[in-house]
Coordinates of all heavy atoms in Angstrom, one line a residue:
M7 N 17.4 42.1 7.8 CA 16.8 40.8 7.3 C 17.7 39.6 7.5 O 17.8 38.8 6.7 CB 16.7 41.1 5.8 CG 15.6 42.1 5.4 SD 14.9 41.6 3.9 CE 13.7 42.9 3.8
S8 N 18.3 39.6 8.7 CA 19.2 38.5 8.9 C 18.5 37.2 9.4 O 18.9 36.1 9.2 CB 20.2 38.8 10.1 OG 19.3 39.1 11.3
G9 N 17.2 37.3 9.8 CA 16.5 36.1 10.3 C 15.6 35.4 9.2 O 14.7 34.6 9.4
E10 N 15.9 35.8 7.9 CA 15.0 35.3 6.8 C 15.0 33.8 6.7 O 14.0 33.2 6.5 CB 15.5 35.9 5.5 CG 14.4 36.5 4.6 CD 14.9 37.2 3.5 OE1 15.3 38.4 3.6 OE2 15.0 36.6 2.4
N11 N 16.2 33.1 6.8 CA 16.2 31.7 6.6 C 15.7 30.9 7.8 O 15.4 29.7 7.6 CB 17.7 31.3 6.3 CG 18.1 31.8 5.0 OD1 17.2 32.1 4.1 ND2 19.4 32.0 4.7
E12 N 15.5 31.6 8.9 CA 15.1 30.8 10.1 C 13.7 30.2 10.0 O 13.5 29.1 10.5 CB 15.3 31.6 11.3 CG 16.7 31.9 11.6 CD 16.9 32.7 12.9 OE1 15.9 32.8 13.7 OE2 18.0 33.4 13.0
S13 N 12.7 30.9 9.5 CA 11.4 30.4 9.4 C 11.2 29.3 8.3 O 10.3 28.5 8.5 CB 10.5 31.6 9.2 OG 10.8 32.2 7.9
G14 N 12.0 29.4 7.2 CA 11.8 28.4 6.1 C 12.6 27.2 6.4 O 13.6 27.2 7.2
S15 N 12.1 26.1 5.9 CA 12.8 24.8 6.1 C 13.6 24.4 4.8 O 13.1 24.9 3.7 CB 11.8 23.7 6.5 OG 10.9 23.5 5.6
P16 N 14.6 23.7 4.9 CA 15.3 23.3 3.8 C 14.4 22.5 2.7 O 13.5 21.8 3.1 CB 16.3 22.3 4.2 CG 16.5 22.6 5.7 CD 15.2 23.1 6.2
A17 N 14.6 22.7 1.5 CA 13.7 22.1 0.4 C 13.6 20.7 0.5 O 12.5 20.1 0.3 CB 14.2 22.6 -0.9
G18 N 14.7 19.9 0.8 CA 14.6 18.5 0.8 C 13.9 17.8 2.0 O 13.7 16.7 1.9
E19 N 13.7 18.5 3.0 CA 13.1 18.0 4.2 C 11.7 17.4 4.1 O 11.5 16.3 4.6 CB 13.1 19.1 5.3 CG 13.4 18.6 6.7 CD 13.4 19.7 7.7 OE1 14.5 20.3 7.7 OE2 12.4 19.9 8.4
R20 N 10.9 18.0 3.3 CA 9.4 17.5 3.3 C 9.4 16.2 2.6 O 8.6 15.4 3.0 CB 8.7 18.5 2.5 CG 8.1 19.6 3.4 CD 7.2 20.5 2.5 NE 6.0 19.8 2.1 CZ 4.8 20.1 2.3 NH1 4.5 21.3 2.8 NH2 3.7 19.4 1.9
S21 N 10.1 15.9 1.5 CA 9.8 14.7 0.7 C 10.2 13.4 1.5 O 9.7 12.4 1.2 CB 10.8 14.7 -0.5 OG 12.2 14.8 -0.2
E22 N 10.9 13.5 2.6 CA 11.3 12.3 3.3 C 10.1 11.9 4.2 O 9.9 10.6 4.3 CB 12.4 12.7 4.3 CG 13.2 11.5 4.6 CD 14.6 11.7 5.3 OE1 15.2 12.6 4.7 OE2 14.9 11.3 6.4
A23 N 9.4 12.7 4.7 CA 8.2 12.3 5.6 C 7.0 13.2 5.3 O 6.8 14.1 6.1 CB 8.6 12.2 7.0
P24 N 6.2 13.0 4.2 CA 5.1 13.9 4.0 C 3.9 13.6 4.8 O 3.8 12.5 5.5 CB 4.7 13.5 2.5 CG 5.2 12.1 2.3 CD 6.4 12.0 3.2
A25 N 3.0 14.5 5.0 CA 1.8 14.4 5.8 C 1.9 13.8 7.2 O 1.6 12.6 7.4 CB 0.8 13.5 4.9
G26 N 2.5 14.6 8.0 CA 2.5 14.2 9.4 C 3.9 13.6 9.8 O 4.3 13.5 11.0
G27 N 4.6 13.0 8.9 CA 6.0 12.6 9.2 C 6.1 11.2 9.9 O 7.2 10.8 10.2
A28 N 5.0 10.4 10.0 CA 5.1 9.2 10.6 C 5.9 8.2 9.7 O 5.7 8.2 8.5 CB 3.8 8.6 10.9
E29 N 6.8 7.4 10.3 CA 7.5 6.4 9.4 C 6.7 5.2 9.0 O 6.9 4.6 7.9 CB 8.8 6.0 10.2 CG 9.7 5.2 9.3 CD 11.0 4.8 10.1 OE1 11.4 5.6 11.1 OE2 11.6 3.9 9.8
H30 N 5.7 4.9 9.8 CA 4.9 3.8 9.6 C 3.5 4.2 9.2 O 2.9 5.2 9.6 CB 4.8 2.8 10.8 CG 6.0 2.1 11.2 ND1 7.0 2.6 11.9 CD2 6.3 0.8 10.8 CE1 8.0 1.7 12.0 NE2 7.6 0.6 11.4
L31 N 2.8 3.4 8.3 CA 1.4 3.6 7.9 C 0.6 2.5 8.3 O 1.1 1.4 8.2 CB 1.3 4.0 6.4 CG 2.0 5.1 5.8 CD1 2.0 5.1 4.2 CD2 1.4 6.4 6.3
N32 N -0.6 2.7 8.6 CA -1.6 1.7 8.7 C -2.4 1.6 7.4 O -3.0 2.6 7.0 CB -2.6 2.0 9.9 CG -1.9 1.9 11.2 OD1 -1.4 0.8 11.6 ND2 -1.8 3.1 11.9
I33 N -2.3 0.4 6.8 CA -2.9 0.2 5.5 C -4.1 -0.8 5.6 O -3.7 -1.9 6.1 CB -1.9 -0.2 4.4 CG1 -0.8 0.8 4.3 CG2 -2.5 -0.4 3.1 CD1 -1.2 2.2 3.9
K34 N -5.2 -0.7 5.1 CA -6.3 -1.6 5.2 C -6.3 -2.3 3.8 O -6.2 -1.7 2.8 CB -7.6 -1.0 5.4 CG -8.8 -1.9 5.4 CD -10.1 -1.3 5.8 CE -10.7 -0.5 4.7 NZ -12.1 0.0 5.0
V35 N -6.4 -3.7 3.9 CA -6.4 -4.5 2.6 C -7.8 -5.2 2.7 O -8.1 -5.9 3.7 CB -5.3 -5.4 2.5 CG1 -5.4 -6.3 1.2 CG2 -4.0 -4.8 2.6
T36 N -8.6 -5.0 1.7 CA -10.0 -5.5 1.8 C -10.3 -6.3 0.4 O -9.9 -5.8 -0.7 CB -11.0 -4.5 2.0 OG1 -12.3 -5.1 2.0 CG2 -11.0 -3.4 1.0
D37 N -11.0 -7.4 0.5 CA -11.4 -8.2 -0.7 C -13.0 -8.4 -0.7 O -13.5 -9.3 -1.2 CB -10.7 -9.5 -0.8 CG -11.1 -10.4 0.3 OD1 -11.9 -10.1 1.2 OD2 -10.7 -11.6 0.3
N38 N -13.6 -7.4 -0.1 CA -15.1 -7.4 0.0 C -15.6 -8.3 1.1 O -16.6 -8.1 1.7 CB -15.8 -7.6 -1.3 CG -15.7 -6.6 -2.3 OD1 -15.4 -5.4 -1.9 ND2 -15.6 -6.9 -3.6
N39 N -14.8 -9.4 1.5 CA -15.3 -10.3 2.5 C -14.5 -10.1 3.8 O -15.0 -10.3 4.8 CB -15.1 -11.8 2.1 CG -15.9 -12.1 0.8 OD1 -17.1 -11.7 0.7 ND2 -15.3 -12.8 -0.2
N40 N -13.3 -9.7 3.5 CA -12.3 -9.7 4.6 C -11.6 -8.3 4.6 O -11.3 -7.7 3.6 CB -11.3 -10.7 4.6 CG -11.9 -12.1 4.5 OD1 -12.4 -12.6 5.5 ND2 -11.7 -12.7 3.3
E41 N -11.3 -7.8 5.9 CA -10.5 -6.6 6.0 C -9.3 -6.9 6.8 O -9.5 -7.5 8.0 CB -11.3 -5.4 6.6 CG -12.3 -4.8 5.8 CD -12.9 -3.6 6.4 OE1 -12.8 -3.4 7.7 OE2 -13.7 -3.0 5.7
V42 N -8.1 -6.7 6.4 CA -7.0 -6.9 7.2 C -6.1 -5.6 7.3 O -6.0 -5.0 6.3 CB -6.0 -8.0 6.6 CG1 -4.8 -8.3 7.5 CG2 -6.9 -9.4 6.3
F43 N -5.7 -5.3 8.4 CA -5.0 -4.1 8.6 C -3.4 -4.4 8.8 O -3.1 -5.4 9.5 CB -5.4 -3.4 9.8 CG -6.8 -2.8 9.7 CD1 -8.0 -3.5 9.9 CD2 -7.0 -1.5 9.2 CE1 -9.1 -3.1 9.7 CE2 -8.3 -1.0 9.1 CZ -9.4 -1.7 9.2
F44 N -2.6 -3.6 8.1 CA -1.2 -3.9 8.2 C -0.5 -2.5 8.6 O -1.0 -1.5 8.2 CB -0.6 -4.3 6.8 CG -1.1 -5.6 6.4 CD1 -2.1 -5.8 5.6 CD2 -0.3 -6.8 6.8 CE1 -2.6 -7.0 5.1 CE2 -0.7 -8.0 6.3 CZ -1.9 -8.2 5.5
K45 N 0.5 -2.6 9.3 CA 1.4 -1.4 9.7 C 2.7 -1.7 9.0 O 3.4 -2.7 9.3 CB 1.5 -1.3 11.2 CG 2.2 -0.1 11.6 CD 2.2 0.0 13.1 CE 2.8 1.4 13.5 NZ 2.7 1.6 15.1
I46 N 3.0 -0.9 8.0 CA 4.3 -1.1 7.4 C 5.0 0.3 7.3 O 4.4 1.4 7.2 CB 4.1 -1.7 5.9 CG1 3.3 -0.7 5.1 CG2 3.4 -2.9 6.1 CD1 3.3 -1.1 3.5
K47 N 6.3 0.2 7.0 CA 7.1 1.5 6.7 C 6.8 2.0 5.4 O 6.4 1.2 4.4 CB 8.5 1.1 6.9 CG 9.1 0.9 8.2 CD 10.6 0.7 8.2 CE 11.1 0.5 9.6 NZ 12.6 0.2 9.5
R48 N 7.0 3.3 5.2 CA 6.8 4.0 3.9 C 7.7 3.4 2.8 O 7.3 3.5 1.7 CB 7.1 5.5 4.1 CG 6.1 6.2 5.0 CD 6.4 7.7 5.0 NE 5.4 8.3 5.9 CZ 4.4 8.8 5.2 NH1 4.1 8.6 4.0 NH2 3.5 9.4 6.0
S49 N 8.8 2.9 3.2 CA 9.9 2.4 2.2 C 9.7 1.0 2.0 O 10.4 0.4 1.2 CB 11.2 2.8 2.7 OG 11.4 2.2 4.0
T50 N 8.9 0.2 2.6 CA 8.7 -1.2 2.5 C 7.9 -1.5 1.2 O 7.0 -0.9 0.9 CB 8.0 -1.8 3.7 OG1 8.7 -1.5 4.9 CG2 7.8 -3.4 3.5
K51 N 8.5 -2.5 0.5 CA 7.9 -2.9 -0.8 C 6.5 -3.5 -0.4 O 6.4 -4.3 0.5 CB 8.7 -3.9 -1.5 CG 9.9 -3.3 -2.2 CD 10.8 -4.3 -3.0 CE 12.0 -3.7 -3.6 NZ 12.8 -4.6 -4.2
L52 N 5.5 -3.2 -1.2 CA 4.2 -3.7 -0.8 C 4.0 -5.2 -1.1 O 3.1 -5.9 -0.7 CB 3.1 -2.9 -1.7 CG 2.9 -1.5 -1.3 CD1 2.0 -0.7 -2.2 CD2 2.3 -1.4 0.2
E53 N 5.1 -5.8 -1.7 CA 5.1 -7.3 -1.9 C 5.0 -8.1 -0.6 O 4.3 -9.0 -0.5 CB 6.5 -7.6 -2.6 CG 6.6 -9.1 -2.8 CD 8.0 -9.4 -3.6 OE1 8.8 -8.6 -3.4 OE2 8.0 -10.4 -4.3
K54 N 5.5 -7.4 0.5 CA 5.5 -8.1 1.8 C 4.1 -8.1 2.3 O 3.5 -9.1 2.8 CB 6.3 -7.4 2.8 CG 7.8 -7.6 2.7 CD 8.6 -6.9 3.6 CE 8.7 -7.7 5.0 NZ 9.6 -7.0 6.0
L55 N 3.3 -7.0 2.1 CA 1.9 -6.9 2.6 C 1.1 -7.8 1.7 O 0.2 -8.6 2.2 CB 1.5 -5.5 2.4 CG 0.1 -5.1 2.6 CD1 0.1 -3.6 3.2 CD2 -0.8 -5.1 1.5
M56 N 1.3 -7.8 0.4 CA 0.5 -8.7 -0.5 C 0.6 -10.1 -0.2 O -0.3 -10.9 -0.2 CB 0.9 -8.3 -2.0 CG 0.6 -6.9 -2.4 SD 1.6 -6.2 -3.7 CE 0.7 -6.9 -5.2
N57 N 1.9 -10.6 0.1 CA 2.3 -12.0 0.3 C 1.5 -12.4 1.7 O 0.9 -13.4 1.8 CB 3.7 -12.2 0.4 CG 4.3 -12.4 -0.8 OD1 3.7 -13.0 -1.8 ND2 5.6 -12.0 -1.0
A58 N 1.6 -11.5 2.6 CA 1.0 -11.7 4.0 C -0.5 -11.9 3.9 O -1.1 -12.7 4.4 CB 1.4 -10.7 4.9
F59 N -1.2 -11.0 3.0 CA -2.6 -11.0 2.9 C -2.9 -12.4 2.2 O -4.0 -13.1 2.6 CB -3.1 -9.9 2.0 CG -4.6 -9.8 1.9 CD1 -5.5 -9.4 2.8 CD2 -5.1 -10.4 0.7 CE1 -6.8 -9.4 2.7 CE2 -6.5 -10.5 0.6 CZ -7.4 -9.9 1.6
C60 N -2.3 -12.7 1.2 CA -2.6 -14.0 0.4 C -2.5 -15.2 1.3 O -3.2 -16.1 1.3 CB -1.7 -14.1 -0.8 SG -2.2 -13.0 -2.2
E61 N -1.3 -15.2 2.1 CA -1.1 -16.4 3.1 C -2.3 -16.4 4.0 O -2.8 -17.6 4.3 CB 0.2 -16.2 3.8 CG 1.4 -16.7 3.1 CD 2.7 -16.5 3.8 OE1 2.6 -16.6 5.0 OE2 3.8 -16.3 3.3
R62 N -2.7 -15.4 4.6 CA -3.8 -15.3 5.6 C -5.2 -15.9 4.9 O -5.9 -16.5 5.6 CB -4.0 -14.0 6.2 CG -3.0 -13.6 7.1 CD -3.3 -12.3 7.8 NE -2.2 -11.7 8.5 CZ -2.3 -10.6 9.4 NH1 -3.5 -10.0 9.5 NH2 -1.2 -10.1 9.8
Q63 N -5.3 -15.5 3.7 CA -6.6 -15.8 3.1 C -6.6 -17.1 2.3 O -7.5 -17.5 1.6 CB -7.0 -14.6 2.2 CG -7.1 -13.3 2.9 CD -8.1 -13.3 4.0 OE1 -9.1 -13.9 4.0 NE2 -7.8 -12.5 5.1
G64 N -5.4 -17.7 2.2 CA -5.2 -18.9 1.5 C -5.4 -18.7 -0.1 O -5.9 -19.5 -0.8
K65 N -5.0 -17.6 -0.5 CA -4.9 -17.2 -2.0 C -3.5 -17.2 -2.5 O -2.5 -17.0 -1.8 CB -5.6 -15.9 -2.2 CG -7.0 -15.8 -1.6 CD -7.7 -14.4 -1.9 CE -8.9 -14.4 -1.2 NZ -10.0 -13.8 -2.0
S66 N -3.5 -17.4 -3.8 CA -2.3 -17.3 -4.6 C -2.0 -15.8 -5.1 O -3.0 -15.2 -5.5 CB -2.2 -18.4 -5.7 OG -1.2 -18.0 -6.6
M67 N -0.8 -15.4 -5.1 CA -0.4 -14.1 -5.6 C -0.9 -14.0 -7.0 O -1.2 -12.9 -7.5 CB 1.0 -13.8 -5.4 CG 1.5 -13.3 -4.0 SD 1.0 -11.6 -3.8 CE 2.4 -10.7 -4.7
T68 N -0.8 -15.1 -7.7 CA -1.1 -15.1 -9.1 C -2.6 -15.1 -9.4 O -3.1 -14.8 -10.5 CB -0.5 -16.2 -9.9 OG1 -1.0 -17.5 -9.3 CG2 1.0 -16.2 -9.9
S69 N -3.4 -15.3 -8.4 CA -4.9 -15.4 -8.6 C -5.7 -14.1 -8.2 O -6.8 -13.9 -8.5 CB -5.5 -16.5 -7.7 OG -5.5 -16.3 -6.4
V70 N -4.9 -13.1 -7.7 CA -5.5 -11.8 -7.3 C -4.7 -10.7 -7.8 O -3.5 -10.8 -8.2 CB -5.6 -11.7 -5.7 CG1 -6.6 -12.7 -5.3 CG2 -4.3 -11.8 -5.1
R71 N -5.4 -9.5 -7.9 CA -4.6 -8.3 -8.2 C -5.0 -7.2 -7.1 O -6.1 -7.2 -6.6 CB -4.9 -7.8 -9.5 CG -6.4 -7.5 -9.8 CD -6.7 -7.4 -11.4 NE -8.1 -7.7 -11.6 CZ -9.1 -6.8 -11.8 NH1 -8.7 -5.6 -11.9 NH2 -10.3 -7.2 -12.0
F72 N -4.0 -6.4 -6.8 CA -4.2 -5.4 -5.8 C -4.3 -4.1 -6.4 O -3.6 -3.8 -7.4 CB -3.0 -5.3 -4.8 CG -2.9 -6.6 -4.0 CD1 -2.5 -7.8 -4.5 CD2 -3.3 -6.5 -2.6 CE1 -2.3 -8.9 -3.6 CE2 -3.2 -7.6 -1.8 CZ -2.8 -8.8 -2.3
L73 N -5.3 -3.3 -6.0 CA -5.5 -2.0 -6.6 C -5.5 -0.9 -5.6 O -6.0 -1.1 -4.4 CB -6.9 -1.9 -7.3 CG -7.2 -2.8 -8.4 CD1 -8.6 -2.6 -9.0 CD2 -6.2 -2.7 -9.6
F74 N -4.9 0.3 -5.9 CA -4.9 1.4 -5.1 C -5.5 2.6 -5.9 O -4.9 3.0 -6.9 CB -3.5 1.8 -4.5 CG -3.5 3.0 -3.7 CD1 -4.2 3.2 -2.6 CD2 -2.7 4.1 -4.2 CE1 -4.2 4.4 -1.8 CE2 -2.6 5.3 -3.4 CZ -3.4 5.4 -2.2
E75 N -6.6 3.1 -5.4 CA -7.3 4.2 -6.2 C -7.5 3.9 -7.6 O -7.3 4.7 -8.5 CB -6.5 5.5 -6.0 CG -6.5 6.0 -4.6 CD -5.7 7.3 -4.4 OE1 -5.0 7.7 -5.3 OE2 -5.9 7.9 -3.3
G76 N -7.9 2.5 -7.9 CA -8.2 2.1 -9.2 C -7.0 1.7 -10.1 O -7.1 1.2 -11.2
Q77 N -5.7 1.9 -9.6 CA -4.6 1.5 -10.3 C -3.9 0.3 -9.7 O -3.8 0.1 -8.5 CB -3.5 2.7 -10.2 CG -4.0 4.0 -10.8 CD -4.2 3.9 -12.3 OE1 -3.4 3.4 -13.0 NE2 -5.4 4.5 -12.6
R78 N -3.5 -0.6 -10.7 CA -2.9 -1.8 -10.2 C -1.6 -1.5 -9.4 O -0.7 -0.8 -9.8 CB -2.6 -2.7 -11.4 CG -2.1 -4.1 -11.0 CD -2.2 -5.1 -12.2 NE -2.0 -6.4 -11.6 CZ -2.5 -7.5 -12.1 NH1 -3.3 -7.4 -13.2 NH2 -2.2 -8.6 -11.6
V79 N -1.4 -2.3 -8.3 CA -0.2 -2.1 -7.5 C 0.8 -3.2 -7.9 O 0.4 -4.4 -8.0 CB -0.7 -2.3 -6.0 CG1 0.6 -2.2 -5.1 CG2 -1.5 -1.1 -5.6
Q80 N 2.0 -2.8 -8.0 CA 3.1 -3.8 -8.3 C 3.8 -4.2 -7.0 O 3.9 -3.3 -6.2 CB 4.1 -3.1 -9.3 CG 3.5 -2.7 -10.6 CD 2.8 -3.9 -11.4 OE1 3.4 -5.0 -11.4 NE2 1.7 -3.6 -12.0
P81 N 4.3 -5.3 -6.9 CA 5.0 -5.8 -5.7 C 6.2 -4.9 -5.3 O 6.5 -4.8 -4.2 CB 5.5 -7.2 -6.1 CG 4.6 -7.7 -7.1 CD 4.2 -6.5 -8.0
T82 N 6.7 -4.2 -6.4 CA 8.0 -3.4 -6.1 C 7.5 -2.0 -5.6 O 8.4 -1.2 -5.3 CB 8.8 -3.3 -7.4 OG1 8.0 -2.9 -8.4 CG2 9.5 -4.6 -7.7
D83 N 6.2 -1.7 -5.7 CA 5.7 -0.3 -5.2 C 5.9 -0.2 -3.7 O 5.9 -1.3 -3.0 CB 4.3 -0.1 -5.6 CG 4.1 0.2 -7.1 OD1 4.9 0.7 -7.8 OD2 3.0 -0.2 -7.6
T84 N 6.1 1.0 -3.3 CA 6.1 1.3 -1.8 C 5.0 2.3 -1.5 O 4.6 2.9 -2.4 CB 7.4 1.8 -1.3 OG1 7.6 3.2 -2.0 CG2 8.6 1.0 -1.8
P85 N 4.7 2.4 -0.3 CA 3.7 3.5 0.2 C 4.1 4.8 -0.3 O 3.4 5.7 -0.8 CB 3.6 3.5 1.6 CG 3.9 2.0 1.9 CD 4.9 1.6 0.9
D86 N 5.4 5.1 -0.4 CA 6.0 6.4 -0.8 C 5.8 6.6 -2.3 O 5.4 7.6 -2.7 CB 7.5 6.5 -0.5 CG 7.7 7.3 0.9 OD1 6.8 7.8 1.4 OD2 8.9 7.2 1.3
T87 N 6.1 5.5 -3.0 CA 6.0 5.8 -4.5 C 4.6 5.9 -5.0 O 4.2 6.6 -5.9 CB 6.6 4.5 -5.3 OG1 5.9 3.4 -4.9 CG2 8.1 4.3 -5.0
L88 N 3.6 5.4 -4.1 CA 2.1 5.5 -4.5 C 1.6 6.8 -3.8 O 0.4 7.1 -3.9 CB 1.4 4.3 -4.1 CG 1.7 3.0 -4.9 CD1 1.0 1.9 -4.3 CD2 1.6 3.2 -6.4
E89 N 2.4 7.4 -2.9 CA 1.9 8.6 -2.2 C 0.8 8.3 -1.3 O -0.2 9.0 -1.2 CB 1.6 9.8 -3.1 CG 2.8 10.3 -3.9 CD 2.5 11.4 -4.8 OE1 1.3 11.9 -4.8 OE2 3.4 11.9 -5.4
M90 N 0.8 7.1 -0.6 CA -0.2 6.6 0.3 C 0.0 7.4 1.6 O 1.0 7.9 1.9 CB 0.0 5.1 0.5 CG -0.2 4.3 -0.6 SD 0.0 2.5 -0.2 CE -1.6 2.0 0.2
T91 N -1.2 7.6 2.3 CA -1.2 8.2 3.5 C -1.8 7.2 4.6 O -2.5 6.2 4.2 CB -2.1 9.5 3.6 OG1 -3.4 9.1 3.1 CG2 -1.5 10.5 2.7
D92 N -1.7 7.5 5.9 CA -2.1 6.5 6.9 C -3.6 6.4 6.8 O -4.4 7.3 6.6 CB -1.8 7.3 8.3 CG -2.1 6.3 9.4 OD1 -1.5 5.2 9.4 OD2 -2.7 6.6 10.3
G93 N -4.0 5.1 6.8 CA -5.4 4.8 6.8 C -6.0 4.5 5.3 O -7.1 4.1 5.1
D94 N -5.0 4.6 4.3 CA -5.4 4.2 3.0 C -5.7 2.8 2.8 O -5.3 2.0 3.6 CB -4.4 4.6 2.0 CG -4.4 6.1 1.6 OD1 -5.4 6.8 1.8 OD2 -3.4 6.6 1.0
S95 N -6.5 2.4 1.8 CA -6.9 1.1 1.5 C -6.5 0.5 0.2 O -6.4 1.3 -0.8 CB -8.5 1.0 1.5 OG -9.0 1.3 2.7
L96 N -6.1 -0.8 0.1 CA -5.8 -1.5 -1.0 C -7.1 -2.4 -1.2 O -7.5 -3.1 -0.3 CB -4.6 -2.3 -1.0 CG -3.2 -1.6 -1.0 CD1 -2.1 -2.7 -0.8 CD2 -3.0 -0.8 -2.2
E97 N -7.4 -2.5 -2.5 CA -8.6 -3.5 -2.8 C -7.9 -4.7 -3.5 O -7.0 -4.6 -4.3 CB -9.5 -2.9 -3.8 CG -10.3 -1.7 -3.3 CD -11.2 -1.0 -4.3 OE1 -11.5 -1.7 -5.4 OE2 -11.5 0.1 -4.1
V98 N -8.6 -5.8 -3.1 CA -8.1 -7.1 -3.7 C -9.1 -7.7 -4.6 O -10.3 -7.8 -4.2 CB -7.6 -8.2 -2.6 CG1 -7.2 -9.4 -3.3 CG2 -6.7 -7.6 -1.7
H99 N -8.8 -8.0 -5.8 CA -9.8 -8.5 -6.7 C -9.3 -9.8 -7.4 O -8.1 -10.0 -7.5 CB -10.1 -7.5 -8.0 CG -10.7 -6.3 -7.5 ND1 -12.0 -6.1 -7.3 CD2 -10.1 -5.1 -7.2 CE1 -12.3 -4.9 -6.8 NE2 -11.1 -4.3 -6.8
Q100 N -10.2 -10.7 -7.6 CA -9.9 -12.0 -8.3 C -9.4 -11.7 -9.7 O -10.0 -10.8 -10.4 CB -11.1 -13.0 -8.3 CG -11.4 -13.6 -7.1 CD -10.3 -14.6 -6.7 OE1 -9.9 -14.5 -5.5 NE2 -9.9 -15.5 -7.5
E101 N -8.3 -12.3 -10.1 CA -7.8 -12.2 -11.5 C -8.9 -12.9 -12.4 O -9.4 -14.0 -12.1 CB -6.5 -12.8 -11.8 CG -5.4 -11.9 -11.4 CD -5.2 -10.7 -12.3 OE1 -6.0 -10.5 -13.2 OE2 -4.1 -10.2 -12.4
Q102 N -9.3 -12.3 -13.5 CA -10.2 -13.0 -14.4 C -9.3 -13.7 -15.5 O -8.9 -13.1 -16.5 CB -11.1 -12.0 -15.1 CG -11.9 -11.2 -14.2 CD -12.9 -12.1 -13.4 OE1 -13.5 -12.9 -13.9 NE2 -12.9 -11.8 -12.0
V103 N -9.1 -15.0 -15.3 CA -8.3 -15.7 -16.2 C -9.0 -17.0 -16.7 O -9.5 -17.7 -16.0 CB -6.9 -16.2 -15.4 CG1 -6.0 -17.0 -16.3 CG2 -6.2 -15.0 -14.8
G104 N -8.9 -17.1 -18.0 CA -9.4 -18.3 -18.6 C -11.0 -18.6 -18.3 O -11.7 -17.7 -17.9
G105 N -11.3 -19.9 -18.5 CA -12.7 -20.2 -18.3 C -12.9 -21.1 -17.1 O -13.8 -22.0 -17.1
F106 N -12.0 -21.2 -16.2 CA -12.1 -22.1 -15.1 C -13.2 -21.9 -14.2 O -13.4 -20.7 -13.8 CB -10.7 -22.1 -14.4 CG -10.8 -23.0 -13.1 CD1 -10.6 -24.4 -13.3 CD2 -10.8 -22.4 -11.8 CE1 -10.6 -25.2 -12.1 CE2 -10.8 -23.2 -10.8 CZ -10.7 -24.6 -10.9
Q107 N -13.9 -22.8 -13.8 CA -15.1 -22.6 -12.9 C -14.8 -23.5 -11.7 O -14.6 -24.8 -11.8 CB -16.4 -23.1 -13.5 CG -16.9 -22.2 -14.6 CD -17.4 -20.8 -14.0 OE1 -18.0 -20.8 -13.0 NE2 -17.1 -19.8 -14.7
A108 N -14.8 -23.0 -10.5 CA -14.6 -23.7 -9.3 C -15.8 -24.5 -8.8 O -16.8 -24.1 -9.0 CB -14.2 -22.8 -8.2

């Protein structure tokens, strides 16, 4: 039984690159009118993606909220912390604040 350890992998190896091991993910961001695709690292804070989307759409970060699988995404979240996989989507919704009518 000398070859027992050869087939198994070290326990810590999987957590670094789950599901395929790609370092980058393609993430779709959609607000019902627009779809924008971003390629980001698993360890990159989603704040970068959120800011880039808002700049492209001419929106303020304070006027929208980002959701992943129905949960609000924080700027400090990363794809790893949310366990996102390649091709996942973020939804963008208008914040419902006060009684302002455009």
Side-chain angles (χ1 to χ4, degrees):
M7 294 212 174
S8 61
E10 224 172 279
N11 291 338
E12 287 177 26
S13 62
S15 62
E19 210 173 286
R20 273 185 70 128
S21 63
E22 204 166 311
E29 191 177 333
H30 290 85
L31 295 176
N32 292 297
I33 305 296
K34 179 172 80 172
V35 182
T36 178
D37 66 0
N38 292 330
N39 300 317
N40 306 289
E41 288 184 348
V42 182
F43 292 84
F44 292 93
K45 186 173 185 175
I46 66 169
K47 287 185 177 179
R48 295 177 173 278
S49 57
T50 300
K51 289 181 182 175
L52 291 173
E53 181 177 24
K54 284 181 85 170
L55 178 151
M56 295 157 83
N57 279 328
F59 181 84
C60 287
E61 276 182 30
R62 285 189 196 186
Q63 303 304 325
K65 297 181 188 222
S66 163
M67 279 280 286
T68 57
S69 70
V70 295
R71 58 195 156 104
F72 290 78
L73 301 178
F74 175 62
E75 295 181 341
Q77 299 296 313
R78 187 165 191 149
V79 174
Q80 299 303 318
T82 53
D83 287 332
T84 67
D86 265 350
T87 61
L88 297 176
E89 298 181 359
M90 296 177 88
T91 57
D92 192 53
D94 276 345
S95 299
L96 288 179
E97 294 176 19
V98 184
H99 297 276
Q100 285 294 126
E101 278 286 17
Q102 302 297 316
V103 182
F106 175 77
Q107 291 290 319

